[in-house]
């Protein structure tokens, strides 16, 4: 187990099924959402039972903000997108996780939300690896 992570943490099965592990940050596991329509990353704080940001300690809240901003900046640099959408919704998957999505005019669903728009289009494995390496290099 990584230092500082609490025993008993388990990743929600839906997050595991819909995304691929990219790397570990200080607090969060960084994952790539497996939908090639949008460059889409997830940060999952490794804290058992956390459903809301206010469930985290003040120090973990600060760390989550830092890691979210770091990931958002890297994603914007890598993609050259128009806008970064960041959100922690949790209506379906209650486990605390933060979406960081690169959006550009003309992408599928622009300017609306990504949720509920069309069918997911999984990456081809080489494309997913290439995107993952690009993000890792930018961080």
């Amino acid at each position: 187990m990584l230092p500082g992570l609490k025993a008993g943490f388990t990743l929600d099965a839906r997050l595991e099924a819909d995304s691929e592990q990219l790397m570990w940050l200080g607090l969060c596991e960084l994952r790539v959402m497996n939908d090639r329509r949008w460059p889409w990353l997830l940060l999952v704080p490794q804290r058992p039972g956390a459903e809301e940001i206010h469930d985290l300690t003040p120090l973990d809240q600060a760390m989550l903000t830092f890691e979210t901003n770091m990931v958002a900046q890297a994603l914007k640099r890598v993609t050259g997108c128009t806008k970064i959408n960041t959100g922690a919704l949790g209506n379906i998957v209650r486990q605390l996780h933060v979406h960081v999505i690169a959006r550009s005019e003309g992408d599928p669903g622009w300017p609306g939300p990504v949720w509920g728009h069309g069918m997911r289009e999984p990456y081809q494995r080489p494309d997913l690896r290439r995107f993952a390496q690009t993000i890792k290099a930018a961080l």
Side-chain angles (χ1 to χ4, degrees), residues 76 79-85 101-107 110:
K76 186 148 189 165
T79 65
C81 65
T82 305
K83 182 75 176 92
I84 293 288
N85 291 175
I101 309 164
R103 301 295 308 275
S104 294
E105 294 179 33
D107 75 22
W110 179 269

Side-chain angles (χ1 to χ4, degrees), residues 39-82:
W40 186 344
L41 302 171
L42 295 173
L43 291 99
V44 185
Q46 303 295 287
R47 297 296 186 252
E51 293 184 358
E52 308 288 351
I53 294 171
H54 63 257
D55 292 337
L56 300 174
T57 66
L59 181 58
D60 282 351
Q61 291 173 29
M63 192 63 155
L64 178 60
T65 299
F66 174 79
E67 290 178 4
T68 301
N69 289 339
M70 181 177 68
V71 166
Q73 289 170 346
L75 188 58
K76 186 148 189 165
R77 275 194 315 273
V78 163
T79 65
C81 65
T82 305

Side-chain angles (χ1 to χ4, degrees), residues 126-138:
D127 295 332
L128 181 62
R129 277 195 297 273
R130 190 171 20 262
F131 177 58
Q133 290 303 325
T134 303
I135 294 298
K136 284 180 182 179

